[in-house]
Amino acid sequence: MIRRLLLLLATTLLAALSVPTAAAAAPDDVVKVAVVRTPEQNGGRPDTLDQIAQRTLGDPGRAGEILDLNRDRPQSDGGALTDSGEVHPGWILKLPDDAAGPDVRLGRVTSGSAPAADKPYFTWKLVLALVGAVILALVTVLVVFRRRIVRWALDRYRTSAENKRLRRQIQQQGRLRARLNADFAADQAGPELAWRAATDLDADRVEAYALRTSERDVTAWVTADHDARAPWRAESDGVWTRPAGASGSDLSGGSVVPCLVRVGGDGEGSLFVDLTWLDGVLAITGSPGVAGDVMSALLADLARFRPDLPVLSVPGLGGEPTGVPSGATRVRSIGDLRTAGPGAGADDGMVRLAARRRSLTALIVIADAPSTEEAEHLLAACGPDSGQVAVVLGDVPGAHWRWVTDVDGSVRVPSIDVTVTAPAR
């Protein structure tokens, strides 16, 4: 549309600018003329109309005819013949058709009362014509392309409004994320409640791979097909809840020590996952900044609740993620990790209910997405008998879990179809 508008305006301007050329007077036909002699050419005397009439018409009395043909016609020196009859050397004078003689020549002379060079090119009429042409072109464009123009203006308005809404949302989420970070650092009751609920379920041979705690209740995503027993209540298939104040088992119970870490929070409470169910690799994808915050919060929970779990760190091009413990073991590359057999090989992003829960011997932190060859080696290093699990900033083919982050700070956990807000580091 813009190209068509510019083309139309350019055409209109060219048409307007061509008006003076089209309106200019065409030159006269070929006529007979005589050139006024200089005194040197005229025997030392100034040339006169009578003499010119005598030389070209044979009768000095016809000088008046030459005067009538040339009165007020502009000459090359800026002068013009007047009723005084005075002429200047070099002037070109039109002659009657019957003129003859050696001084008679044929030529084209233009008519007019003023030299063309003295006429201004841009007159008020021309300026008004140009302004009118532009206004006409704009009105024509508005009429012809009104629907497209309106649609374009509405799209720009909606895009601007949507950008403003997203900026406000990100700012609000930023404040919420900062508050979550402070709340997580000060919270003692939430993690203890999650651990007691996990060990309570484990004592009944019901294993939970994710829990959400709030001041009111605890929600557990369970793996076994059991009937919920009091104080637990089945909300849906595989999702149980119980009041937050219900008694729980001793934290030392259970065959496998849980490894609970927080993903984030929402209006329903804080979401924990148990890494003993990771069974391979967790890939945190999406927004790099938010993914880094999720990794930092995860490592902070490990240092707080499982300080006994060794951490292996594989730095990337930008170094290590924030929050890697100072006592972590640095590994130069993924290829240096020990392997214990083939990797798990799943790529659906969901929890495999047939996966075997296992005690963890180490957590591997990977700062960058691995290559295909590195991914195969990483899956083998985190195989079923290795006791190792890995958390990667970036996608990994074959990852058991995938958490998807967004620039507004949200984290989607597909395995339980829940989206929470990540704390900001």
Side-chain angles (χ1 to χ4, degrees):
M1 184 185 73
I2 300 299
R3 290 182 179 178
R4 293 182 181 180
L5 172 62
L6 294 175
L7 180 61
L8 181 59
L9 289 176
T11 303
T12 304
L13 289 174
L14 288 175
L17 290 173
S18 66
V19 170
T21 303
D28 296 337
D29 293 334
V30 176
V31 296
K32 294 180 178 180
V33 298
V35 179
V36 178
R37 293 179 178 180
T38 65
E40 291 78 9
Q41 295 171 333
N42 201 37
R45 296 172 300 169
D47 206 358
T48 65
L49 285 180
D50 292 343
Q51 295 176 12
I52 295 172
Q54 176 64 42
R55 293 195 303 269
T56 61
L57 298 172
D59 182 1
R62 297 182 65 182
E65 296 180 36
I66 299 176
L67 175 63
D68 293 338
L69 288 174
N70 295 277
R71 182 183 286 110
D72 296 328
R73 191 172 61 80
Q75 297 293 335
S76 60
D77 62 357
L81 184 62
T82 63
D83 290 339
S84 65
E86 181 181 0
V87 294
H88 294 275
W91 282 12
I92 299 175
L93 303 178
K94 294 174 63 176
L95 300 174
D97 292 340
D98 60 342
D103 283 2
V104 177
R105 305 178 186 179
L106 296 178
R108 292 180 184 273
V109 293
T110 58
S111 60
S113 60
D118 292 342
K119 294 181 179 180
Y121 186 76
F122 282 100
T123 63
W124 281 109
K125 291 183 178 180
L126 177 58
V127 172
L128 291 176
L130 290 175
V131 173
V134 172
I135 293 175
L136 179 61
L138 290 175
V139 171
T140 303
V141 169
L142 290 175
V143 171
V144 174
F145 300 106
R146 62 187 182 279
R147 292 184 179 179
R148 294 186 182 182
I149 293 174
V150 171
R151 191 183 309 119
W152 174 81
L154 288 176
D155 289 343
R156 292 295 300 270
Y157 173 78
R158 289 168 183 156
T159 300
S160 177
E162 178 65 14
N163 289 338
K164 291 180 180 178
R165 185 191 67 80
L166 289 176
R167 284 195 295 269
R168 288 195 300 268
Q169 179 180 337
I170 292 174
Q171 290 172 353
Q172 293 173 354
Q173 285 289 91
R175 291 191 289 269
L176 173 60
R177 295 178 64 204
R179 189 165 60 250
L180 275 175
N181 191 47
D183 291 345
F184 283 3
D187 185 21
Q188 297 290 337
E192 181 176 344
L193 182 59
W195 279 70
R196 287 189 179 277
T199 53
D200 183 29
L201 291 168
D202 190 43
D204 285 338
R205 300 183 183 277
V206 178
E207 295 164 320
Y209 54 88
L211 300 107
R212 183 166 55 200
T213 63
S214 69
E215 295 180 355
R216 301 183 309 275
D217 52 31
V218 179
T219 301
W221 283 264
V222 299
T223 62
D225 186 15
H226 294 288
D227 293 330
R229 294 192 306 175
W232 292 98
R233 181 180 67 256
E235 298 293 338
S236 62
D237 186 22
V239 181
W240 296 1
T241 62
R242 78 169 196 188
S247 60
S249 302
D250 192 309
L251 292 179
S252 62
S255 57
V256 176
V257 178
C259 187
L260 297 177
V261 293
R262 279 172 292 203
V263 183
D266 57 13
E268 303 294 330
S270 299
L271 180 66
F272 293 79
V273 296
D274 188 351
L275 295 183
T276 61
W277 277 101
L278 178 50
D279 196 19
V281 177
L282 161 63
I284 308 178
T285 65
S287 169
V290 178
D293 289 347
V294 173
M295 173 80 83
S296 178
L298 182 151
L299 292 172
D301 276 357
L302 282 179
R304 182 177 177 184
F305 308 126
R306 285 294 305 271
D308 60 303
L309 184 65
V311 175
L312 308 179
S313 175
V314 181
L317 295 176
E320 292 182 319
T322 302
V324 174
S326 58
T329 300
R330 271 65 184 182
V331 181
R332 290 181 303 175
S333 67
I334 293 176
D336 293 334
L337 297 173
R338 63 176 178 83
T339 60
D347 193 22
D348 55 7
M350 303 294 288
V351 170
R352 296 191 302 278
L353 299 185
R356 184 180 60 172
R357 188 183 183 205
R358 51 183 169 163
S359 295
L360 300 185
T361 60
L363 175 74
I364 304 170
V365 178
I366 313 294
D368 291 331
S371 65
T372 302
E373 182 178 348
E374 289 174 332
E376 294 177 356
H377 186 88
L378 181 62
L379 292 172
C382 298
D385 299 324
S386 67
Q388 300 180 136
V389 294
V391 180
V392 180
L393 289 178
D395 197 14
V396 181
H400 180 206
W401 284 349
R402 283 187 178 84
W403 298 348
V404 183
T405 63
D406 199 353
V407 68
D408 66 355
S410 62
V411 186
R412 183 167 57 88
V413 184
S415 56
I416 55 177
D417 195 23
V418 171
T419 299
V420 294
T421 300
R425 61 170 179 247

